[in-house]
Each structure stands twice: as C-alpha cells, then as structure tokens.
Amino acid sequence: MKRETERIGVFARRALLLMGGQFAALGTLGARLYQVQVRDGARYATLADENRISARMIAPPRGRILDRFGTVVAGSSTNWRAVLVAEQADNVAATLNAFSALLPLSESERARIDRDLHRNRKFIPVLVREFLTWDEMAAIEVNAPDLPGIVVDAGTSRNYPFGPRLSHVVGYVAPPNEADVADDPLLGLPGLRIGRAGIEKFHDLGLRGRAGAVQLEVNAIGRVIRELDHQEGIPGADVELTLDCGLQLSVLNSLGESASAVVMNCRNGEVLAMASNPSFDPAVFNSGVSQAQWLQWTSDRRTPLINKAISGLYAPGSTFKMAVALAALESRAITPADRIGCSGYLDLGDTRFHCWRKGGHGMLDLRGGLKHSCDVFFYELARRTGIDHIAAMANRLGLGVELDLDLPDQRPGLIPTRQWRMSKGHAWNMGDTIVSGIGQGYIQVTPLQLATYVLRIASGRAVQPHLTRKLAGVMQPGSEIGDWPILGITNKLLQNVREGMWAVVNEPGGTAPLARLAGPQVQLAGKTGSAQVRRVSRELRESGHFDSEKLPWEYRPHALFVAYAPYDAPCYAVAVVIEHGNAGAAAAAPMARDIMAEVLRRDPANRTEPPAARVAEART
C-alpha cells in the first residue's frame, strides 16, 4: 500500500512537471506569436511584400532635338529586336543554330550571347539581334515553330533624319560602358543610350529624362507572375537649336570636299549653320562601329570625324589684319590717315619678308592697306604695335580663346605672346612679330572663332556663340543684343576697319570682287585670307616660278574668307575655310557670297517659320 502511494506520488509529480513544461512551452510560443503577429506584424508584412513584389526601372524615352523651326533632327523610332528566353528552349544551341541559318550570327555575337546566357537566369531574356528589318522580323515569326525560346520584342532606337549633314553638331549616342553604369544605374537598363558627341553629349542629362517603375509579382525564385503597377518614366526634355536646317543643307551643298563654314546672327550670337565636310553617319554608333568602318574614317586625310568648325586649327592669314589694325589704332601706333610705303618686301637684318604682290603697292593708308591686303603695310603695323597689344586685341575679338559655346570638344587655338614663347624656353624676336602681322607664324584659330571675330567687329559687342535656343520649351538667355556687353572699342575705330572691309569687296581694286552680292540693295563687307602650311624659300619666291596651285594638295595654302551683311545694318556673319583651297579671293570668297545670299534670302533671324522652300526639298 505504501509502495502504491509512493508510485502515485511520483507519477503526480512527473505529471505536474510535464504540465508545467507544456505550459511554459505554450507560454513561450504564445509570447513569440504575439511578438511576431502583433508587435512586429507590420514589419514582417513589409518583408513578405518585398519578397513577393519586384520593383524594376523602365528606361524613359530620350528627348528630341529640333531646329529653330521645329524640324526634328534627332528623335526615336521603334526598334524591333530578337531575344532568347533559355527556359523556353529545349536546346539553346539548336535554337541559335536555327536562328543563324535565317540571320547569320557572327562569332562575336555568339560569344556575347553565350556570356549573357551564363550570367543570367534561364527565364531572363537575352538579346540576340537588334535593329531587325521588317523582312527579318517576318522571317522570325514565320519560322517561330523552329525557334523555341526566340521572342520578337519592341524597343526604341535613336534616329537622325539628316544623317551625316548634321552629325557634327547634333552628335550621336552609343551604348554605355561599365564606368558609365557604375556612375548611374539608370544606364544599365536595356536599350538605353548615352550621348557621346555634339548636342547629344552636351545636353545628355536633360535628354535622358527620369526612369519609370513597374511592380511585378514574382515567385520564390524571381519569376514574374503578373504586373501589379506600371508608371511610365518622364521623357527627356526637348532641345530646340538655333540652327536652320534648310540653311545648313544649303551651306553644305556649297562647301567643297574638305571645308567648313559657320553662319551666325550678329545681334545675339545664334549659330544658324555650322557645316564641316566630310562627315559621317551618326546612326552607325547606335548599333556599333565595325573595325573596317573605323579604319576607313581614321585613315582619311580629310578627317571626317572632326568637327572642323570648332576643332580645326588654321592660321588665319590675312583675315587677321583687322585685329592688327584695331590693336595699332587703339595703341596709337598709327592713325587712319598715316601712310606706309610698300616696295614688295620688308627687310629685317638678313631676312626678307615679301608682300603677296611682287611689285608692291606703293603708299597706302589703313583703308588702302585693308582693301589691297598689303602684307608689307601690316608687317610694319605689327612692328610698331608689338605682339602683346595684338594678342590682347585678338583675344577680345574672340580669337585664340575658348568660346562659351554649348558644344563639347572645341579647341581654343593660340594667339602667341612673349610670355608664351618664353614658357617654351625661347625668346620672342621681331621676326615673330612681323609674321604675326599677317596671321601666320604660331597663330591658330578655328572657323567658329573667325565667325565670332567678324561678328564682334560688326556689332561692337562681346557676343558669344550658342546653339541652344530653347530647353524644355524655355527660351535660353542671350537672345537680345542688349544681353551682351560692349567690347570697349570705340565705334570710330571699328568703323575705320569696317570701311576697309567694305572696300575689299565693293571698290575697284579690292581683293575680293567675287564676293560682291548681286544688286546694289544689300552690300557685304569682308576680308580674304590665304594661309601657308609650309614655308616658301626666298630663292623659289624670287625665281618667278612659284605656283602654289601646282603643289600637292596637302601643301597648298588654306583659303579663308570672313564677312558680314548688310554692311549698313549688320545682321549675319559668315566664316569659310577651305582646306588647301589655295587662294581665299578665288576659292573662299565666292563660296561665302553664295552662302550669304542664301542667308539673306531665308532671313532666319527674322522668321518664325521657314521660307517657302521646305527643308524636305533641300534634303534632295
């Protein structure tokens, strides 16, 4: 009996302990459930949603680039592309072989596809071929049963309606590289492009826009179940340029095979045309440049990839003489009435500096020196004035400085000074000053600088060139002449030079009669220039047998001409540079005349719509 009682007691104690343990376990579980479901319920609900919902960015449409009249010069179009979803293909290699039988894949394409397949999960699409034509897309669709896993997808592609004719200004886009993507994750989105040159590069951030977002319900391994929410991105801003497309095409039709020209509005610095020949097709960069194409471009001595208007460096030749004249007048090294004799040369020690006219020009004042473009007159002017005064004036007029242009990759050129020469470890000498007087020696400028230079002489203001007229519909500053400061050169001094430029074109004996506009209603003022690219020996020059036209093309002088019109109310400025064109008077002056005649006919600065001859007609 006693044992039975002890056994029951042991059992009861064990039962109590077990019940206590169960209650403790249940209490702990209840407390945990309370913490998870009540106290931390909101947190775990969020984590569950994050695990179930995948948020992804959507590439925004890239903004358009327009000319001043609203003509699209860079836009976007539908781009059909073929992608491969590996999990939908029984045999990926067989599918790619079948695809290659329809549309041959290169070794580099196959290598890229294989790399992307190994990098991504099987349900993630991999790009096989972009920029499908209608026939290629139809061939894929017809043969779809033999191409398991291949899907035709629609994206966007950048297009340039004017192709090479505006490529140096508009620029181009290309796929981003790894460094670009590291700086901005948006650039990693499929099909997104980045501006690499021209306006596309300068306004790239504005043109990109802001990414949209899509929320997708996914399963445990990330496969998409359904779309929950879709928000389109904000398209990139439209950029309206100052260019007139019709004028641009007309200027290009006037240029030779290796030349450049710039047309500007004298009142506000708008660049109305900026042409550089030869050019390239910007669309090629969108899909990738082949090695053969790249070699063709880089081996061409006419340098089609370079925008010569802003990056081509040339000695200005006699077009520089207005800067020398203004420096001499301002420093009082000469007055407009002072006369200097020209016998055909100027001797300095044992060095002889020749005038372009072998017999000389006789006695000339400033007007006559400009009209006849007498080299000896400007040799003497430079000697009296000094290089530092000349350089300071040239810089004020926009030469040898980096202009505030909304276009990347412009080069500043060079107007030498004594200090610059000493920084190179050499002393400046009087011979250097003398050759600078006719725009030779170390001087280098761009066609854009030449156009700005003649514009500033015509307007008397420190106008800066610009290409952006409106950004996202907002007019940019600088549209009025009052927006620009005065040069600080008296109008009297400027008028002395303007009269000489008028005589160059319109008076008998001037060096540029071929630049004269038809009819007396509107007159043009200008200046010729011929810039040597190699030195001509004294013996050869004095032999009487020197003829630059018989030299190989690359040894001939560059031909230049700068001008503005109308003379009595300046509205337009133009600069033309023909590489190795020989004589500015014979080659560049008639070209500038034709360009100015078309500018005056179209009169883009005073129109809100293009003239009757539509841009579409000009394209042909």
Side-chain angles (χ1 to χ4, degrees), residues 352 354 532-543 545-548 551 555 557:
R352 174 163 291 183
H354 291 268
Q532 293 178 1
V533 297
R534 67 192 300 248
R535 185 177 179 274
V536 179
S537 68
R538 177 174 177 175
E539 292 76 14
L540 181 59
R541 187 182 293 276
E542 293 181 347
S543 69
H545 300 298
F546 175 70
D547 184 357
S548 60
L551 294 171
Y555 293 152

Side-chain angles (χ1 to χ4, degrees), residues 304-500:
L305 293 176
I306 294 177
N307 182 356
K308 296 171 184 175
I310 64 170
S311 298
L313 294 177
Y314 310 91
S318 293
T319 63
F320 190 67
K321 289 174 179 175
M322 288 90 75
V324 177
L326 285 169
L329 289 169
E330 190 175 66
S331 65
R332 299 184 180 181
I334 191 175
T335 69
D338 287 349
R339 298 172 69 83
I340 296 174
C342 169
S343 60
Y345 59 86
L346 180 148
D347 285 334
L348 180 68
D350 59 355
T351 303
R352 174 163 291 183
F353 298 90
H354 291 268
C355 185
W356 68 267
R357 186 173 184 179
K358 187 174 181 181
H361 291 93
M363 298 298 293
L364 296 171
D365 59 8
L366 180 65
R367 179 191 176 100
L370 285 169
K371 172 182 173 179
H372 297 288
S373 196
C374 175
D375 291 337
V376 170
F377 184 93
F378 285 92
Y379 291 150
E380 178 61 21
L381 225 58
R383 187 188 67 79
R384 297 184 187 183
T385 306
I387 189 59
D388 290 333
H389 284 299
I390 293 171
M393 177 59 69
N395 291 159
R396 284 164 68 188
L397 293 171
L399 300 176
V401 294
E402 188 167 335
L403 299 169
D404 191 19
L405 179 70
D406 42 352
L407 203 62
D409 304 322
Q410 67 165 310
R411 300 174 70 183
L414 174 66
I415 303 296
T417 62
R418 293 178 184 275
Q419 183 179 2
W420 170 82
R421 186 65 173 148
M422 290 174 62
S423 71
K424 303 295 181 182
H426 302 281
W428 186 267
N429 58 60
M430 184 56 69
D432 295 327
T433 299
I434 286 174
V435 295
S436 296
I438 61 167
Q440 295 278 178
Y442 301 109
I443 300 174
Q444 291 187 316
V445 299
T446 67
L448 176 68
Q449 290 177 356
L450 288 172
T452 304
Y453 159 65
V454 73
L455 180 157
R456 291 184 177 184
I457 291 173
S459 69
R461 290 183 177 268
V463 178
Q464 287 282 355
H466 57 279
L467 276 160
T468 305
R469 192 163 185 261
K470 291 181 181 179
L471 182 60
V474 178
M475 184 70 76
Q476 300 300 287
S479 59
E480 301 296 333
I481 193 165
D483 295 338
W484 303 103
I486 59 173
L487 278 172
I489 306 171
T490 67
N491 190 64
K492 184 178 180 180
L493 297 186
L494 288 169
Q495 191 59 29
N496 287 321
V497 170
R498 293 170 189 154
E499 289 176 3

Side-chain angles (χ1 to χ4, degrees), residues 178-394:
E178 292 183 4
D180 296 324
V181 176
D183 291 336
D184 185 356
L186 173 64
L187 299 178
L189 297 178
L192 200 140
R193 298 291 188 265
I194 186 172
R196 292 298 190 195
I199 291 295
E200 292 274 30
K201 180 178 180 179
F202 187 87
H203 286 298
D204 184 55
L205 289 177
L207 287 165
R208 283 186 208 170
R210 293 173 59 185
V214 59
Q215 285 190 333
L216 304 171
E217 184 178 2
V218 297
N219 61 14
I221 62 171
R223 185 177 302 159
V224 175
I225 305 300
R226 62 188 173 116
E227 185 178 294
L228 300 176
D229 187 32
H230 188 105
Q231 295 180 352
E232 291 291 343
I234 299 176
D238 286 348
V239 177
E240 182 182 305
L241 303 180
T242 59
L243 291 181
D244 173 359
C245 274
L247 177 62
Q248 174 82 6
L249 301 180
S250 177
V251 171
L252 279 167
N253 290 336
S254 300
L255 289 184
E257 66 172 12
S258 189
S260 58
V262 177
V263 179
M264 293 175 63
N265 184 339
C266 286
R267 299 168 185 165
N268 58 17
E270 289 182 340
V271 178
L272 302 170
M274 179 183 285
S276 178
N277 262 349
S279 189
F280 61 91
D281 184 359
V284 174
F285 288 89
N286 194 19
S287 55
V289 180
S290 67
Q291 185 176 7
Q293 177 66 80
W294 185 257
L295 289 174
Q296 179 185 339
W297 282 336
T298 54
S299 62
D300 190 336
R301 64 180 181 175
R302 301 174 303 162
T303 59
L305 293 176
I306 294 177
N307 182 356
K308 296 171 184 175
I310 64 170
S311 298
L313 294 177
Y314 310 91
S318 293
T319 63
F320 190 67
K321 289 174 179 175
M322 288 90 75
V324 177
L326 285 169
L329 289 169
E330 190 175 66
S331 65
R332 299 184 180 181
I334 191 175
T335 69
D338 287 349
R339 298 172 69 83
I340 296 174
C342 169
S343 60
Y345 59 86
L346 180 148
D347 285 334
L348 180 68
D350 59 355
T351 303
R352 174 163 291 183
F353 298 90
H354 291 268
C355 185
W356 68 267
R357 186 173 184 179
K358 187 174 181 181
H361 291 93
M363 298 298 293
L364 296 171
D365 59 8
L366 180 65
R367 179 191 176 100
L370 285 169
K371 172 182 173 179
H372 297 288
S373 196
C374 175
D375 291 337
V376 170
F377 184 93
F378 285 92
Y379 291 150
E380 178 61 21
L381 225 58
R383 187 188 67 79
R384 297 184 187 183
T385 306
I387 189 59
D388 290 333
H389 284 299
I390 293 171
M393 177 59 69

Side-chain angles (χ1 to χ4, degrees), residues 40 45 51 58 63 76 85 116 133 137 141-142 213 232 248 282 289 298 314 339 356 365 374 465 485 544 576 605:
D40 297 337
N51 213 19
I58 302 174
S76 299
V85 182
D116 291 345
T133 65
M137 184 177 65
E141 295 291 355
V142 168
E232 291 291 343
Q248 174 82 6
V289 180
T298 54
Y314 310 91
R339 298 172 69 83
W356 68 267
D365 59 8
C374 175
V576 174

